[in-house]
Amino acid sequence: MARSDGEAIEIRDAPDASWQDRALERSLKAARAKAVSRSRRYIVTAAQMLQESGRTDFTVHELVQRSRTSLRSFYQYFANKEELLLALLEETIADSVAQWRREAGDEDALGGLRVLVHRIHGSTGDDPWNRLNRVLALYHAGLARQRPEAYLGALSPLVAVVREQVERGAEQGLLRSDLPPRQLAAVFVELVVGAAVLNALGAPRFGGVSDPDRMWEFCRAGLVGTASADPGTAPGP
């Protein structure tokens, strides 16, 4: 290529990250952060509405009015209300797992799993968090039936962290050895989540377990193979 003064301009290979690449990366990061912030706004608003009413029968129009946005903006991030509820379920589970990790602290594997049971089953009465859990329990049931892959995806953070703790407990010799850790983890998740859904739907009315200590004692007995009066101790010889 020649310049206007007649001298040739040397064409060099582009570096690994040219200024165009860096500019595009910054632009995409800014756009992504903006999209996450706006979509989270809808999730937070939906959670507030569910906590207040205990129902999912709000309309997208009501959500948009409450969040002071527009229908056009909503549909940029969510295909419909069902997608928003799925996002809310994912956020709730992810936040609960993060909170559980903080509360578990330096607990051993059994202690950490006990914290998780209390985290899931400790919300009772008519407080806003429990109202949200009741609504999400209904959504749990419908999503598991209609969109099982999406349901498993939403549960994946919980499944992963339970599996991690159960495998750690097996390595520490705290758990029964006649069942593989992955099977123990699967049964634990099914039991704890299933009982939480039933409780939220009103199972205590016909004798369902709502006390987190009783729930943990039952889970612990299954994990270690023997029941113990002390939920925090390791199984005996």
Side-chain angles (χ1 to χ4, degrees):
M1 180 177 179
R3 299 190 317 197
S4 59
D5 58 9
E7 294 184 7
I9 298 176
E10 182 181 0
I11 304 295
R12 299 179 180 178
D13 292 336
D16 291 340
S18 67
W19 70 266
Q20 295 101 326
D21 294 330
R22 294 192 296 272
L24 179 59
E25 183 180 357
R26 284 193 295 270
S27 176
L28 291 176
K29 283 184 178 179
R32 183 180 186 278
K34 185 177 181 180
V36 170
S37 176
R38 288 189 174 182
S39 56
R40 187 178 295 276
R41 183 176 183 178
Y42 291 115
I43 293 172
V44 171
T45 302
Q48 292 171 346
M49 295 175 72
L50 265 61
Q51 288 174 337
E52 292 170 2
S53 67
R55 302 191 308 273
T56 60
D57 58 357
F58 65 87
T59 66
V60 172
H61 183 70
E62 291 171 337
L63 176 74
V64 165
Q65 285 188 319
R66 176 73 174 264
S67 61
R68 297 181 180 179
T69 57
S70 66
L71 286 172
R72 179 180 179 182
S73 176
F74 174 85
Y75 287 114
Q76 282 182 316
Y77 305 109
F78 300 100
N80 47 47
K81 190 176 78 173
E82 288 302 309
E83 289 297 324
L84 173 65
L85 290 175
L86 175 59
L88 175 57
L89 178 65
E90 292 173 348
E91 283 288 300
T92 302
I93 291 176
D95 288 347
S96 294
V97 168
Q99 179 66 23
W100 169 49
R101 285 189 180 277
R102 289 191 293 269
E103 292 176 359
D106 297 327
E107 297 273 1
D108 62 17
L110 282 175
L113 291 170
R114 180 176 184 271
V115 170
L116 176 60
V117 170
H118 277 256
R119 178 70 180 163
I120 293 177
H121 289 270
S123 179
T124 59
D126 200 38
D127 59 275
W129 178 253
N130 197 50
R131 285 200 296 274
L132 176 60
N133 282 343
R134 285 202 299 269
V135 175
L136 289 180
L138 290 169
Y139 187 65
H140 266 272
L143 186 64
R145 183 179 65 257
Q146 299 169 8
R147 299 179 59 188
E149 291 186 2
Y151 180 66
L152 292 176
L155 282 182
S156 60
L158 176 63
V159 173
V161 77
V162 168
R163 185 175 294 166
E164 170 191 315
Q165 291 297 310
V166 170
E167 289 176 350
R168 188 163 70 95
E171 291 174 357
Q172 296 170 345
L174 299 176
L175 307 184
R176 61 194 301 169
S177 59
D178 59 328
L179 293 174
R182 290 177 69 90
Q183 186 173 346
L184 285 176
V187 172
F188 180 89
V189 171
E190 291 174 8
L191 174 62
V192 173
V193 173
V197 170
L198 287 176
N199 282 337
L201 296 176
R205 297 176 184 174
F206 54 84
V209 177
S210 58
D211 184 284
D213 288 321
R214 292 169 57 199
M215 186 68 190
W216 165 244
E217 192 60 35
F218 186 84
C219 291
R220 184 184 181 279
L223 289 169
V224 304
T226 58
S228 170
D230 182 356
T233 59

